[in-house]
């Protein structure tokens, strides 16, 4: 996966190794997972595991529903404008 109009954020780690390991596990289950680095003001650097991209919000929401049901994990939909 990669950044796009919308992605699902699954988890965030302080360690790139943990994030990459988690993303690899998701990819082994056919999710388009990837890791992106983010600087969080006052908290430091984090490595976010995301799935996507999805071109329209409805597709992201549909995938979110099935992912959460199948994987038993909570996610958030992230848009380019964080809508």
């Amino acid at each position: 996966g990669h950044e796009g109009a919308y992605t699902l954020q699954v988890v965030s780690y302080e360690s790139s190794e943990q994030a990459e390991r988690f993303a690899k596990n998701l990819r082994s289950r056919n999710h388009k997972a990837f890791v992106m680095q983010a600087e969080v003001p006052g908290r430091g650097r984090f490595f976010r595991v995301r799935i996507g991209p999805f071109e329209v919000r409805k597709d992201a929401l549909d995938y979110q529903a099935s992912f959460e049901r199948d994987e038993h994990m909570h996610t958030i939909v992230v848009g380019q404008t964080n809508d």
Side-chain angles (χ1 to χ4, degrees), residues 6 12-13 15 20 22 28 38 40 45 51 53 69 73 82:
Y6 297 95
S12 182
Y13 289 104
S15 156
E20 290 294 345
F22 194 89
S28 76
V40 179
R45 179 176 296 145
I51 295 173
R69 181 188 63 242
M73 288 185 253
N82 288 329

Side-chain angles (χ1 to χ4, degrees), residues 16 18 20 24-25 29 31 33 36 52 60 65 77 79-81 83:
S16 64
Q18 286 178 299
E20 290 294 345
K24 182 179 179 180
N25 185 281
R29 297 196 307 273
H31 299 292
M36 65 160 297
V77 173
Q80 287 179 331
T81 58
D83 58 355

